[in-house]
Amino acid sequence: MTTLRERLKESRKRAGKTQAEVAEAVKMSQPAYQALESGKNQKSSYLPQIAQFLGVDIIWLQTGEDKILPVTTKQTRDEVYITPVEFRTDYDKKNTVKIPVHKNVKAACGDGIANFLEEVTGYVDIDPDFLKMVGIKSKPEKLRIIYSADYSMWPTVLPDSPLFVDITPIDTSNMINGDVYVFLHNSFLRMKRVFISYGDEKTVRLQSDNPDKNKYPDEIITKEQLNELSFVGRLESALVKP
């Protein structure tokens, strides 16, 4: 069985990330991450965030079991193990919450699609315990379901995956570094992972998770340009619908 340091290094290289990028994304110091990847440290409270950022299963990362690896540019969708989520309709709806669905709204992870939350096409009844199970902490009344449009956020998001978006107004001075946000830009609805540098220049990096940076390059904008974006909300969770 592989060691934690081997799994970390393998996952990071497959995702096309540097040690510095991983440390910045999960808000830990680079020496602390290096200690994990070198084998000096065997445990860390940051492992769930690291697993999410690198697109691997947390159980596999911690133990080596149930191996789910990030997608490389040579892999196809059928070669990647993904657990599908089935939307059931045969359960007791008394204790469920209704989440508005915008079936016609697709947030492109790359260049974008000209549409917006213009109309609700339906509602899905969801057990609040299910929302907690998939890591959603937002209030149900603040959630909307839209859909993704392309592969630039692979393996975090697949095309046509339902996206739970928290539409609470975004304060650009208090954004969560490394989270995925949905925003309008030049009349296009887009979705990117946002990293804010608080150095002298205060730049902002809009990142696609796909490791193929030739096809999906990161974008660098200024803090002033960030304020010009019209944010729709923050991605809470992305599911794979069979």
Side-chain angles (χ1 to χ4, degrees):
M1 182 178 293
T2 59
T3 63
L4 173 62
R5 64 180 295 271
E6 291 171 334
R7 293 190 293 274
L8 279 170
K9 187 174 182 179
E10 179 184 4
S11 301
R12 178 176 59 78
K13 287 191 172 183
R14 282 177 174 268
K17 306 297 181 183
T18 65
Q19 291 185 352
E21 287 175 328
V22 177
E24 179 186 0
V26 302
K27 301 179 183 178
M28 68 185 298
S29 68
Q30 187 171 347
Y33 178 80
Q34 288 175 335
L36 282 174
E37 198 167 297
S38 68
K40 184 177 180 180
N41 289 342
Q42 300 295 324
K43 296 181 180 180
S44 173
S45 60
Y46 289 93
L47 285 180
Q49 295 96 313
I50 293 173
Q52 181 179 10
F53 179 68
L54 296 179
V56 297
D57 179 57
I58 180 57
I59 301 300
W60 172 78
L61 186 62
Q62 291 177 321
T63 67
E65 299 176 357
D66 297 327
K67 187 175 183 180
I68 302 177
L69 294 177
V71 180
T72 67
T73 55
K74 295 182 179 179
Q75 288 176 302
T76 66
R77 175 173 178 168
D78 293 336
E79 292 173 329
V80 182
Y81 175 77
I82 300 170
T83 302
V85 174
E86 179 181 359
F87 290 88
R88 296 179 54 192
T89 58
D90 59 343
Y91 53 80
D92 184 359
K93 297 183 179 181
K94 292 182 180 179
N95 297 318
T96 60
V97 294
K98 288 185 178 292
I99 308 296
V101 178
H102 304 269
K103 185 70 175 179
N104 298 325
V105 177
K106 291 190 175 183
C109 311
D111 290 337
I113 295 177
N115 52 25
F116 187 54
L117 304 179
E118 297 178 351
E119 59 180 15
V120 176
T121 55
Y123 295 85
V124 59
D125 293 286
I126 297 181
D127 190 322
D129 289 338
F130 173 79
L131 297 177
K132 294 178 182 178
M133 183 181 70
V134 297
I136 296 177
K137 299 179 180 180
S138 300
K139 295 180 179 179
E141 60 267 24
K142 293 296 184 180
L143 293 175
R144 299 290 185 272
I145 297 177
I146 63 175
Y147 288 79
S148 57
D150 67 13
Y151 283 90
S152 72
M153 288 299 286
W154 179 303
T156 305
V157 175
L158 295 175
D160 296 320
S161 295
L163 311 174
F164 286 87
V165 176
D166 184 336
I167 62 168
T168 301
I170 302 298
D171 179 3
T172 57
S173 65
N174 193 33
M175 297 178 72
I176 301 176
N177 214 22
D179 271 17
V180 178
Y181 289 87
V182 179
F183 55 91
L184 279 168
H185 183 210
N186 295 331
S187 298
F188 291 104
L189 189 63
R190 311 183 68 198
M191 178 169 58
K192 290 285 186 179
R193 193 175 299 278
V194 178
F195 292 95
I196 301 175
S197 171
Y198 292 99
D200 294 336
E201 297 183 1
K202 293 185 179 180
T203 58
V204 178
R205 175 160 53 94
L206 304 179
Q207 175 184 290
S208 297
D209 285 358
N210 194 307
D212 185 354
K213 293 305 175 184
N214 290 324
K215 188 173 183 180
Y216 302 105
D218 295 346
E219 302 172 41
I220 304 298
I221 63 175
T222 65
K223 191 70 178 295
E224 289 70 25
Q225 289 173 314
L226 177 69
N227 293 328
E228 295 173 0
L229 301 179
S230 178
F231 284 92
V232 175
R234 181 173 59 86
L235 179 67
E236 276 280 354
S237 182
L239 306 178
V240 178
K241 187 175 181 180

